[in-house]
Structure formats: C-alpha cells, structure tokens
C-alpha cells in the first residue's frame, strides 16, 4: 500500500514538473500573440537645450514614427527595436514688408532595446527603452524684405541617443495602445569641425499590433 502511495506521489510530482513549462509558455503566449511588434506613433518634440544658441529660435516639431520590434526571449518582453522616425518643424516671423521663416526636418535611424515590465495581469506594461543611431538634420531658411529675398539650406549629419519610458496596454495579446510621456532625445550634430548638442523633450501616443 505504501509503495502505491509513493508511486502515485512520484507520478503526480513528475506530471506537475512536466506541466509547469507548458503552463508558463501558455501564460507567456497569452501576453503577446507573436514575437514581432509593429507600432505607429505620433506626437511632438519640444526643444529644451541648444548648445551655442537660443532654444526659442527652434520650433516645436511634429513627430511620426514607425517602430518595428523583435522579441529576444520566449516571454516576449525583451525587444530589439528599430524606430524609424521623422520630425518636421516650421517657424516664421515678420509682416508684409519683411519676414523670415525656418523649416527643418530630422530623419532618425536608430536601433534600441526595450523591456516590457508587466503590471499585474491586466495587460498593462511599463516599457523603458534606450536607443541610439544616425540622424540627418535638414534645414531651410528664407528671409524677405520688400521684393528682395534670400534663402539658404543645408544638411548636417550626426547621432542621437534617446532614453524613454512608456506605458502600454495590450488588448487580447494582439493590439497595442500606448503613450510615451518621457522621451529625451539627445542630438550630437557635426557643425564644421565642432560637435553641437541639442536636447528635446518628446511625447508620443501610439497604436500597434503583435504577430
């Protein structure tokens, strides 16, 4: 009788041990429906600091980002992310007699790492992220006085580093709805032989899908 009890207990323990990974995999699978993440983000980028200049001379820019992410673990919480991004801003001053305008565009091609920290079992995740990569800074300025006008344009190249923190809600493991209330892109631009630093505060909202 005791041998039967011991045998049943051993079988039960073996079954539990084999079932645990399956239960964990099912739970992980319930969080995200696939290892690939695709998000479309939009928002604003506000100048905070301009080395050797006045931040008020730069306009707040609109932000559009297409983010592609690939899960690095079976829990689908650690991601390699590729956030392709564009900023466009316009600033103009003056009147009918004299006016000036500045238009700029930033094209960002970074690569980063993101980790989704689950907040209970509600589908909410806290998403810290760090990314770094290439930026092209394209500017075009124009000034006019009466019938005379002058314009200048140029492109500077450099790098960008961006620490970020977001909050994401995953619906049925498939759809993402989120906001990134903290993002601090730091631009390092080559200006002739000098390195110029610009810092923005950026806020974005987004929707996306996991597959």
């Amino acid at each position: 009788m005791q041998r039967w009890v011991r045998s049943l207990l051993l079988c039960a323990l073996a079954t539990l041990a084999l079932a645990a990974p399956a239960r964990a995999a099912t739970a992980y699978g319930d969080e995200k429906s696939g290892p690939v993440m695709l998000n479309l983000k939009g928002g604003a980028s506000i100048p905070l600091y301009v080395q050797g200049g006045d931040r008020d001379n730069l306009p707040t820019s609109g932000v559009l980002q297409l983010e592609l992410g690939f899960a690095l673990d079976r829990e689908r919480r650690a991601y390699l992310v590729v956030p392709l991004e564009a900023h466009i801003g316009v600033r103009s001053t003056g009147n009918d007699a004299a006016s000036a305008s500045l238009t700029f565009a930033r094209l960002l091609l970074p690569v980063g790492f993101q980790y989704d920290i689950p907040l209970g079992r509600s589908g909410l995740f806290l998403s810290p992220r760090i990314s770094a990569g290439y930026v092209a800074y394209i500017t075009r300025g124009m000034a006019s006085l009466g019938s005379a006008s002058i314009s200048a344009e140029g492109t500077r190249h450099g790098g960008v580093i961006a620490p970020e923190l977001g909050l994401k809600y995953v619906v049925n493991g498939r759809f993402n709805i989120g906001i990134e209330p903290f993002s601090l892109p730091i631009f390092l631009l080559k200006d002739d032989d000098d390195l110029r630093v610009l810092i923005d505060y950026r806020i974005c909202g987004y929707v996306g899908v996991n597959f």
Side-chain angles (χ1 to χ4, degrees), residues 46-55 58 106 135 137 156-163 184-201:
I46 304 167
L48 291 182
Y49 171 77
V50 179
Q51 182 180 359
D54 187 350
R55 69 178 185 180
L58 289 179
R106 297 175 186 147
V135 59
Y137 195 106
R156 285 177 287 172
H157 306 275
V160 59
I161 302 171
L184 202 68
I186 302 168
F187 301 98
L188 308 172
L189 300 173
K190 185 173 175 57
D191 194 355
D192 294 328
D193 294 329
D194 297 327
L195 194 64
R196 193 177 184 190
V197 179
L198 288 76
I199 302 176
D200 277 15
Y201 167 74

Side-chain angles (χ1 to χ4, degrees), residues 37-41 63-70 79-87 106-114 129-135 160 162 164 180 183 202 204:
M37 171 179 68
L38 183 64
N39 296 317
L40 181 63
K41 303 183 179 183
V63 175
L64 185 63
Q65 182 187 111
L66 182 64
E67 178 188 61
L68 187 61
F70 304 93
Y79 285 91
L80 174 71
V81 293
V82 184
L84 308 178
E85 188 169 331
H87 298 189
R106 297 175 186 147
L107 302 178
L108 286 67
L109 302 173
V111 176
F113 176 79
Q114 174 178 309
R129 181 172 73 177
I130 184 74
S131 62
Y134 166 79
V135 59
V160 59
E164 299 172 280
E180 290 175 351
S183 176
R202 182 175 60 194
C204 286

Side-chain angles (χ1 to χ4, degrees), residues 2-202:
Q2 291 179 352
R3 285 199 299 267
W4 281 101
V5 172
R6 284 198 298 268
S7 298
L8 286 173
L9 288 173
L10 287 173
C11 288
L13 290 172
T15 302
L16 287 173
L18 291 172
R23 286 199 306 273
T26 301
Y28 297 147
D30 287 344
E31 286 186 356
K32 316 279 178 58
S33 58
V36 180
M37 171 179 68
L38 183 64
N39 296 317
L40 181 63
K41 303 183 179 183
S45 193
I46 304 167
L48 291 182
Y49 171 77
V50 179
Q51 182 180 359
D54 187 350
R55 69 178 185 180
D56 293 332
N57 291 331
L58 289 179
T60 296
S61 58
V63 175
L64 185 63
Q65 182 187 111
L66 182 64
E67 178 188 61
L68 187 61
F70 304 93
L72 302 175
D73 59 351
R74 67 172 187 171
E75 294 90 347
R76 297 170 186 167
R77 294 177 183 170
Y79 285 91
L80 174 71
V81 293
V82 184
L84 308 178
E85 188 169 331
H87 298 189
I88 297 178
V90 179
R91 185 180 184 87
S92 59
T93 59
N95 49 43
D96 293 338
S99 64
S101 66
L102 171 68
T103 303
F104 77 84
R106 297 175 186 147
L107 302 178
L108 286 67
L109 302 173
V111 176
F113 176 79
Q114 174 178 309
Y115 193 84
D116 289 347
I117 303 171
L119 302 177
R121 298 179 178 273
S122 60
L124 279 173
F125 294 86
L126 194 65
S127 303
R129 181 172 73 177
I130 184 74
S131 62
Y134 166 79
V135 59
Y137 195 106
I138 305 164
T139 58
R140 185 174 190 271
M142 179 177 290
S144 63
L145 179 61
S147 59
S149 64
I150 186 173
S151 64
E153 58 184 54
T155 301
R156 285 177 287 172
H157 306 275
V160 59
I161 302 171
E164 299 172 280
L165 183 64
L167 186 66
K168 175 170 64 175
Y169 179 59
V170 181
V171 182
N172 296 328
R174 176 69 68 178
F175 302 104
N176 302 321
I177 303 172
I179 184 172
E180 290 175 351
F182 174 79
S183 176
L184 202 68
I186 302 168
F187 301 98
L188 308 172
L189 300 173
K190 185 173 175 57
D191 194 355
D192 294 328
D193 294 329
D194 297 327
L195 194 64
R196 193 177 184 190
V197 179
L198 288 76
I199 302 176
D200 277 15
Y201 167 74
R202 182 175 60 194

